[in-house]
Every structure is written in structure tokens, then in C-alpha cells.
């Protein structure tokens, strides 16, 4: 049976403060939490505006980006 206690779904919207979401992702990965991320198109704009990062346009490329950013296991 799967352990659902170590799974988190994080939705990043177009709201300001995306730095908090990116840091939260890093903290959760460090705690070995299985993380599922949803990113809106507005969030992609906010990430580019509020951070030094630019999110790729495709889901596969975003997965790779977040894996590298957080140091997660692929």
C-alpha cells in the first residue's frame, strides 16, 4: 500500500511571491517528500518577473528544470 503521507501537490498560480513556492519545493525535496507541481501560465510570467529563472514551455522541460532546481531524484 502506498504511503500518502509523503506526497504533496503544490499549485503555483500567478500570484506574487513565487520565491516562497520555489523555496518550499526545495525544503520538501530535502525532506524526501514526493512532490507534484502544477504551474499556471500566469505563474510562468511571475517566475520570470520575480526571479532570475525562466520556466521552459513544455511540461517535460519544466519537470527537468524543477528537478535540477531542487536537487530532486528524477
Amino acid at each position: 500500500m502506498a504511503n500518502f503521507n509523503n506526497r504533496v501537490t503544490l499549485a503555483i498560480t500567478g500570484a506574487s511571491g513565487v520565491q516562497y513556492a520555489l523555496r518550499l519545493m526545495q525544503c520538501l525535496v530535502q525532506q524526501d517528500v514526493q512532490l507534484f507541481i502544477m504551474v499556471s501560465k500566469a505563474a510562468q510570467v511571475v517566475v520570470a518577473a520575480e526571479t532570475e529563472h525562466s520556466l521552459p514551455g513544455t511540461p517535460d522541460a519544466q519537470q527537468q528544470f524543477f528537478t535540477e532546481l531542487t536537487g530532486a531524484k528524477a
Side-chain angles (χ1 to χ4, degrees):
M1 178 170 244
N3 181 359
F4 294 105
N5 293 328
N6 287 335
R7 292 182 181 178
V8 171
T9 300
L10 177 63
I12 304 173
T13 65
S16 185
V18 72
Q19 301 92 337
Y20 296 112
L22 297 177
R23 180 66 181 131
L24 176 60
M25 287 189 310
Q26 292 170 331
C27 291
L28 291 171
V29 166
Q30 288 174 355
Q31 295 300 312
D32 204 28
V33 172
Q34 185 178 17
L35 188 58
F36 300 89
I37 303 168
M38 296 179 287
V39 181
S40 72
K41 291 200 182 285
Q44 292 180 21
V45 173
V46 173
V47 167
E50 294 188 359
T51 72
E52 67 277 4
H53 303 292
S54 179
L55 291 181
T58 65
D60 288 339
Q62 286 181 11
Q63 179 179 355
Q64 181 65 34
F65 169 81
F66 287 124
T67 298
E68 292 173 5
L69 180 71
T70 62
K73 300 174 205 163

